[in-house]
Amino acid sequence: MSNPTFFQPFVSTSVTIDSTANSLQGIKKNHLSPNSYLLAGTTGDGLAPPGYGALYIGAIDGSSTSSGSGSGTWYNFSVPSTWNPQQTSAYGPDILTAGTGPGGIGDVALTGTWINSSGVTTGWYYKGDISALNGDTSGAITKGFQNFQATTKNNSPANYTYLHSVDGGYVAGNYTTSGGPIGLTINVGPGAGSFVFNPLTNKQTNITYSDNATYHSTFGIWENDNNTYTVSGGASYSRRFLRNRNMVNAIARVAKILPDAALGHGMLADIDPITGIATNIHYYNYNNDNNRYSSVITHFQGIYHMGDDVYQAPFFAVKTNGEIYGGNAYIHRLKNGQFSDNAIWQTFEPTLQGSALGPTSVAGEANTGIFDGGQPFASIGSTLSYFTAAQILK
């Protein structure tokens, strides 16, 4: 099966900054306009200043405008200046209402992170008119923004709060207390945890998993048609992988483009956002290497429901020899409500531009992510064959 068509780099060019470490972290289909998407990311460095939140609205194609890649519209913005931000990143987008903005969009919900002068990473949530963010890199807009710093299991403020994904009014998030490339990438340690954030109450509900995994991460959230919620992310049982130098070096490479991913296995689970209780928990290893102590690290970066009980999860995987893979996993929900034992794996093959090591989000035929050279991509490609194959998974 052939690769999707990659458009890389896919970036905003309407802001002049010193850094070129742009990134794309989230995508949603624009149901208000055909062949249109809402992409969220960062113009500049996603981990340090300078950097601004970035939004793209439009088709994923090889065109360009004065604002950047693609034939659509780019917005750049900062969280409110009263917070004294040094950097802003946008992670998860959601379209709430129709309106007069690009692509027929009115109100949106957005999540992300910002960094203060002390280096503390804090989450933010925005609900409001998409057009209000146009060109607001000064942080003059305050209406609609909420600031959120997670609380650890020890009831202390987390040094790193990530609001990854938003859908149906709830946000999937992680927190950790340790920095550095390895710490941020694998998100392990006694100070790490995953939660659901409720913007209406500005509070977190820690997710409770009925398994014996040591650590969990939650990167994607999806509201199902029956008002239930499914999340994606990762889980780990130990840190024994860190004794493998090839794998550590590979993780360090991934750390530059995929901060705070848990070490171990890709995960899907259903959650109750009120109680935080997770059910139907299932773990996946790349290419269905279903040994609990597999030699492969797998992590799911997001989630999308394709219909007919098939979910997509963008993934990255690292083998003990240091090889890194990226693509989409396709998983079937069975009639009993549980998820299929195995997944169908769509692995992106290397191109002349390099390898798409870090798919970060997916919406059917479209992906966002990062190539190994550090440049963000958006891609389009047929997924019908994978969708059909996944429907018969047991």
Side-chain angles (χ1 to χ4, degrees), residues 145-311:
F145 276 99
Q146 293 176 235
N147 181 39
F148 178 72
Q149 186 173 15
T151 302
T152 71
K153 298 171 185 176
N154 298 324
N155 293 318
S156 60
N159 293 331
Y160 304 92
T161 301
Y162 296 91
L163 298 184
H164 285 292
S165 175
V166 56
D167 202 54
Y170 289 97
V171 180
N174 282 357
Y175 64 80
T176 184
T177 59
S178 58
I182 298 298
L184 292 178
T185 302
I186 62 180
N187 195 11
V188 298
S194 62
F195 61 89
V196 175
F197 171 67
N198 184 347
L200 293 179
T201 61
N202 207 51
K203 296 183 182 298
Q204 73 189 67
T205 299
N206 293 329
I207 301 177
T208 302
Y209 296 92
S210 56
D211 60 14
N212 58 353
T214 309
Y215 310 107
H216 297 87
S217 66
T218 307
F219 272 45
I221 187 169
W222 188 267
E223 182 187 22
N224 299 304
D225 292 339
N226 59 358
N227 296 320
T228 62
Y229 291 81
T230 301
V231 296
S232 67
S236 66
Y237 291 95
S238 72
R239 299 182 68 177
R240 70 181 186 88
F241 290 109
L242 296 184
R243 294 195 294 267
N244 182 300
R245 182 174 296 277
N246 288 332
M247 188 166 280
V248 169
N249 291 338
I251 292 171
R253 287 174 62 197
V254 176
K256 298 178 181 179
I257 56 178
L258 299 174
D260 62 323
L263 173 66
H265 316 285
M267 178 201 69
L268 285 192
D270 296 325
I271 60 160
D272 183 330
I274 305 300
T275 65
I277 296 174
T279 57
N280 296 325
I281 307 165
H282 204 91
Y283 301 118
Y284 298 88
N285 296 321
Y286 177 58
N287 274 350
N288 301 322
D289 180 1
N290 288 321
N291 180 351
R292 171 177 168 181
Y293 297 106
S294 170
S295 61
V296 180
I297 289 176
T298 307
H299 191 269
F300 290 160
Q301 299 295 108
I303 189 170
Y304 176 79
H305 184 240
M306 300 183 73
D308 290 337
D309 294 324
V310 175
Y311 292 84

Side-chain angles (χ1 to χ4, degrees), residues 78-97:
S78 178
V79 297
S81 59
T82 54
W83 299 355
N84 192 28
Q86 304 298 300
Q87 183 271 353
T88 302
S89 287
Y91 277 29
D94 197 19
I95 300 170
L96 302 180
T97 66

